[in-house]
Amino acid sequence: MLYRWDGARLQPRQTLAPGAGRAFATFDDGGTTYLAVACISAPVRVMRWDGERFTDVQTLDGLGARELAVVRRGGRLLVVRVNFILGTPADPHPVAGSQIYEWDGGSLRVVAQFPTCGGTDVAVLGGGPGGPGDIELVVSNSLTPQLRFAAETVRYSLTP
């Protein structure tokens, strides 16, 4: 839910996710603000601010998104999507794999995928071992394929 301050309290303004909303990421392009909304049980929504409200511009394939991060390097805008879990509490299935998207000025497209299993968070570091343009991601995983809470945190290096 997006709220607006009316001078005395926050008032509901706009529903951003019908349910299972988990994380938000914003970015600007050409003076326009965009918002990506991660949902576990619904596709990621990419929305544009029109001055009054956010309107849908794109839906990303797949379910299970839990975390998003925006990265700018070398004139490129990337969005990192970390996927968590599908199914029900009685029959859970950790999502194996997450994505990196590139913004092309009007939409996001997948440019890389990386292994995760029950991914929960991502931190973006700069200046990787290959040079100042490299991107390092630190991704925490909460599950193993057998649904044990003993998964590793993994450091990835991406050379744009």
Side-chain angles (χ1 to χ4, degrees):
M1 177 65 70
L2 177 67
Y3 291 86
R4 184 175 196 148
W5 183 252
D6 70 3
R9 62 187 174 146
L10 291 170
Q11 297 289 337
R13 172 81 173 173
Q14 179 182 355
T15 300
L16 298 173
R22 299 301 276 194
F24 304 92
T26 62
F27 59 92
D28 293 312
D29 182 37
T32 302
T33 299
Y34 293 86
L35 173 70
V37 181
C39 300
I40 288 179
S41 62
V44 172
R45 298 172 69 187
V46 180
M47 308 166 86
R48 177 179 48 239
W49 181 250
D50 68 10
E52 290 294 320
R53 61 186 295 108
F54 284 101
T55 58
D56 288 317
V57 294
Q58 184 179 7
T59 301
L60 303 181
D61 288 337
L63 305 176
R66 175 158 172 169
E67 187 60 65
L68 300 166
V70 175
V71 182
R72 289 187 181 269
R73 290 287 193 285
R76 297 172 74 185
L77 189 148
L78 305 171
V79 175
V80 180
R81 170 184 171 167
V82 174
N83 293 317
F84 178 55
I85 199 165
L86 297 174
T88 65
D91 186 26
H93 302 280
V95 179
S98 294
Q99 298 79 32
I100 299 173
Y101 298 85
E102 182 171 10
W103 180 251
D104 67 9
S107 64
L108 292 168
R109 62 181 175 81
V110 176
V111 293
Q113 297 192 50
F114 58 98
T116 56
C117 190
T120 59
D121 201 2
V122 59
V124 179
L125 309 174
D134 283 6
I135 300 163
E136 292 185 69
L137 305 175
V138 178
V139 179
S140 61
N141 294 287
S142 64
L143 302 168
T144 66
Q146 299 78 27
L147 296 175
R148 294 191 179 115
F149 289 93
E152 297 178 341
T153 296
V154 180
R155 184 174 172 179
Y156 295 97
S157 181
L158 173 69
T159 302

